[in-house]
Amino acid sequence: MTWEFGAFRLDPERFELTFSSERVRVEPQVLAMLIHLVRNRNRLVSRDELAEAVWDGAAVSDASISSRIRSVRAAVGDNGVRQQVIRTIHGRGFRFLPDVSGDPPARPKVREPDVGAQPPRTGRPSIAVLPLTPLAVDAEYAILADAIPHEIIQALSRLRWLSVTARGSSFRFRQAAPDVDLAATALGVRYVLSGVIEASGGNLSVTLELTDGASAEVIWGERLTAAVEEIDDLRHRIVVHIIAALEIVVPAAEAQLALRTGAERFDAWANYHIGLRHLYRFTASDNAAARHHFECAARLDPSLARAQAGLSFTSFLDAFLRIAPDVPAAVAASRAHAERGLELDPLDPFVTFTMGRSHWLTHDLEGARQWLSRATVLNPNFAQGFYASAFTSMLLGDPKATTTELETALALSPLDPLLYGMHGVRAQMLVQQGDYPEAARWAERAASTSGAHYLIAMIAVVACGLAGEHDHASRWRREVRRRKPDASSRDYFNAFPSRDIASRSVIAAELRRHGF
C-alpha cells in the first residue's frame, strides 16, 4: 500500500516518505501524523483525533500539535502561509488537500469504549515486532535486543495466517519506552509485540508483551530467564513461546472481536477464526458450526486456502469421530478440501497438516507421515504437526519417534487444544509396549483433559482394565456410553488402525470384556 501526491510517495507499511525517490528524514511522530492525515484525506481531522492517533489520547498541548503540523508541512514542502498540502480550519482541525493516487483511505482509528461500535477489522491479522529495550545489559549482550526480535520475525513469517511487518519498518521504533500505539497506527497493524531485555546476577531476562493495537490492551505476556551461558537456549525458548502463544491468543482475540461486531460484518478471515473457535470443541454441534463458518469464509474469499483446510478438518472429525451419517463421504470430503487447499497455497503448514490427517482415514500411514513431515518442515514450530506425526509413528509401531515427536509438540505448545490427543497417543503407545500401569496414568490424564472425546475415554477403559484398575475402567466405560451410546470396538480400530497385531488382539479382548 503506497500513496503518491506530486513527487512524494508515502508508504505506511514501510513507514517511509520519499521525494523523487529520495528518502525524506522525519521523526516517527511527524510521519505518523502525516500518515493519519493522508489516510483520512476525505474529511476534516480534529486536533483531538490527532492526539488520540499520535499521542494515544495522552494530554498534549495545542502548541505540541501545532509544532508537529509545522514539521509535517516542512517535510512535504508546505508552510502555514501557502497551505497547499495541509489546510488549517481554525478551531476545527486540518485537511489534507492534494489528489492522491493509491489505495482508498481507510476509516479513522478512533477508540470507543464500545468495541461493537467500531468499524470491523478485516483481512488477515497483522503484527509488528519491535526491538527490545535493553536495561542494564553489557554491550556484548545488547545486540540481543535486535537479534531476538529478528528471530521472532523470521519464525512468524512462516505462519501463513499472520501478516508480519518487515524488520526495516518495525525497527524504526527504537526507543527507551516505545510508543506501542504509535507503532500500531503508523505501521497499520493490529498487534504489537514489545518487551525489554535485562541483566541481573549473571542471568538474562526477557519480558514480552503482546498488545492489541485497537484497544491498547495487553492480551498476553511472558517473562523468560536464563543464565548468560545459556543464551542460545533462551533465544530458542522465546521463539517457541511466541509461536505457541500467538497460535492460540490471536485467533481467540480475532474471533471474540468479530462476534462483538455482528455477523453481518464478518469477512472471510473473521469467519475462519470463529470457525477455529468451534473446531476444537469436538462435538457434533460445534463441528457443524465450524463448517458453516469455514464455508462462509470460502464463499467470501475463494482463494483462502485456510478455509479449505478448515473444511478438511471438519470432514476429518465427521469421519474420525463417526458423527456423520455418511462416513465414506466425509472421508472423501476431507481429502478433497485438503487437495483444494494445497492448490491455493502449497506452502501453508496447516493445509499440509490436514492433507496428512486425511491419509489416516484411509489407513495410508506412510502417506500421512510424508505430508505431516512436510508440515513441520514448513513450520518447525508447528506443535499440531508434531503431534500428528507422533500419532502416525505410534500407529506404525515406532516408540522412539513417537516419544521424540510428542515431547517436541508438548514443548512447543503445552496448552495446545489437542493436548488430550498428545496424552492419548502416549497412552496408546504404552499399551502397545505392555506398560499398562503407566498407560493407565496417561490415559486417565488424557481423558480428563479439556476437549477429550469418547475415543480418548475408550483408551482409558482399555488401559485401566489392562492395568487391573477395574473401578476406573468401569467409570470410563460409563463415560463412553454417556457420550456415544453406540460406541464399538470397530470405532476404536477405525480411529487407531495400529499395525501392532499382538496389541490389537489384547485391546480387542479388553474392549469386548467391557461390552464394546
Side-chain angles (χ1 to χ4, degrees):
M1 177 182 67
T2 59
W3 297 305
E4 295 181 5
F5 50 96
F8 288 95
R9 182 182 179 90
L10 178 60
D11 188 333
E13 293 184 353
R14 297 179 62 186
F15 203 54
E16 184 175 78
L17 174 68
T18 59
F19 178 75
S20 297
S21 300
E22 294 292 326
R23 182 182 167 195
V24 180
R25 296 188 176 276
V26 290
E27 297 177 7
Q29 273 190 343
V30 174
L31 192 51
M33 183 176 284
L34 176 60
I35 288 170
H36 192 79
L37 289 168
V38 176
R39 180 173 280 138
N40 299 282
R41 60 190 177 275
N42 61 337
R43 65 181 183 83
L44 182 75
V45 177
S46 69
R47 285 177 175 267
D48 287 345
E49 183 180 324
L50 284 176
E52 178 73 24
V54 179
W55 283 272
D56 195 21
V60 58
S61 67
D62 283 348
S64 295
I65 294 176
S66 297
S67 172
R68 291 295 185 270
I69 286 289
R70 285 195 297 272
S71 297
V72 172
R73 285 190 167 121
V76 296
D78 196 17
N79 61 50
V81 177
R82 188 167 61 249
Q83 294 195 10
Q84 292 181 339
V85 179
I86 299 172
R87 176 178 296 167
T88 301
I89 290 79
H90 292 288
R92 299 192 61 192
F94 308 93
R95 281 288 306 274
F96 187 86
L97 300 177
D99 291 333
V100 176
S101 62
D103 289 343
R107 296 187 183 189
K109 176 186 171 235
V110 181
R111 277 189 208 110
E112 308 271 351
D114 178 9
V115 176
Q118 290 184 343
R121 295 190 291 193
T122 58
R124 189 164 51 141
S126 53
I127 188 171
V129 182
L130 307 188
L132 299 175
T133 299
L135 298 177
V137 177
D138 293 340
E140 65 177 307
Y141 301 122
I143 191 174
L144 295 175
D146 283 3
I148 290 174
H150 177 66
E151 291 169 0
I152 294 171
I153 290 171
Q154 287 185 314
L156 293 180
S157 67
R158 294 175 178 264
L159 305 182
R160 309 289 278 187
W161 60 271
L162 186 66
S163 175
V164 187
T165 300
R167 165 183 171 146
S169 297
S170 58
F171 275 32
R172 293 178 185 274
F173 292 87
R174 189 189 307 282
Q175 303 166 21
D179 188 330
V180 171
D181 187 65
L182 175 61
T185 301
L187 298 173
V189 295
R190 299 186 198 175
Y191 303 94
V192 176
L193 184 70
S194 60
V196 299
I197 180 170
E198 53 190 319
S200 176
N203 291 330
L204 283 174
S205 297
V206 173
T207 304
L208 298 163
E209 290 185 346
L210 181 68
T211 303
D212 185 312
S215 66
E217 177 186 359
V218 176
I219 60 174
W220 174 83
E222 183 71 273
R223 180 180 175 86
L224 298 171
T225 301
V228 291
E229 60 268 21
E230 299 173 349
I231 290 175
D232 289 342
D233 177 66
L234 177 63
R235 292 164 71 164
H236 172 72
R237 285 195 290 129
I238 288 170
V239 172
V240 165
H241 275 69
I242 289 293
I243 299 298
L246 264 61
E247 289 274 14
I248 296 172
V249 173
V250 171
E254 291 288 302
Q256 184 64 28
L257 182 64
L259 290 169
R260 293 170 69 181
T261 61
E264 71 281 358
R265 307 168 89 179
F266 294 169
D267 71 344
W269 278 100
N271 273 291
Y272 170 74
H273 285 114
I274 295 170
L276 287 184
R277 183 187 177 103
H278 289 281
L279 187 65
Y280 294 111
R281 293 175 180 171
F282 307 104
T283 66
S285 59
D286 277 298
N287 206 45
R291 180 183 298 105
H292 166 72
H293 285 289
F294 293 141
E295 287 173 344
C296 289
R299 185 168 58 252
L300 289 167
D301 184 358
S303 67
L304 184 58
R306 289 228 159 190
Q308 297 297 328
L311 289 169
S312 176
F313 203 137
T314 58
S315 296
F316 170 85
L317 290 179
D318 278 344
F320 186 76
L321 299 178
R322 322 299 278 188
I323 57 179
D326 188 343
V327 170
V331 171
S334 180
R335 177 68 56 81
H337 286 300
E339 289 174 344
R340 178 56 182 152
L342 285 170
E343 290 174 6
L344 294 171
D345 189 351
L347 299 181
D348 189 315
F350 184 58
V351 176
T352 308
F353 162 84
T354 60
M355 174 59 89
R357 298 245 290 185
S358 76
H359 281 260
W360 285 357
L361 300 175
T362 57
H363 299 180
D364 178 10
L365 302 182
E366 287 77 12
R369 171 171 268 184
Q370 289 179 6
W371 283 106
L372 294 168
S373 176
R374 176 174 170 78
T376 55
V377 168
L378 289 170
N379 180 6
N381 298 298
F382 189 23
Q384 288 188 19
F386 283 103
Y387 151 64
S389 294
F391 192 121
T392 307
S393 295
M394 176 270 290
L395 295 177
L396 289 168
D398 186 343
K400 183 176 180 181
T402 301
T403 301
T404 299
E405 289 157 350
L406 280 178
E407 289 177 351
T408 302
L410 286 166
L412 290 170
S413 186
L415 298 177
D416 197 90
L418 295 180
L419 184 62
Y420 72 88
M422 299 179 191
H423 296 331
V425 166
R426 191 185 299 274
Q428 178 73 13
M429 188 74 252
L430 289 164
V431 167
Q432 292 174 194
Q433 293 178 292
D435 188 348
Y436 302 137
E438 190 69 1
R441 184 173 75 86
W442 281 102
E444 291 203 273
R445 185 173 178 182
S448 301
T449 300
S450 175
H453 46 72
Y454 79 95
L455 289 168
I456 302 299
M458 290 186 81
I459 295 177
V461 171
V462 170
C464 290
L466 292 173
E469 299 176 9
H470 301 301
D471 288 344
H472 289 218
S474 296
R475 177 168 63 87
W476 288 115
R477 178 182 56 78
R478 291 192 295 271
E479 182 64 18
V480 173
R481 290 303 186 200
R482 184 185 70 81
R483 298 185 189 185
K484 195 173 191 301
D486 62 345
S488 68
S489 59
R490 180 182 178 186
D491 294 331
Y492 189 97
F493 289 114
N494 276 323
F496 309 119
S498 169
R499 300 258 178 102
D500 188 325
I501 303 301
S503 68
R504 283 175 66 95
S505 299
V506 171
I507 292 168
E510 189 64 25
L511 287 171
R512 283 195 300 272
R513 200 168 71 81
H514 288 276
F516 296 109

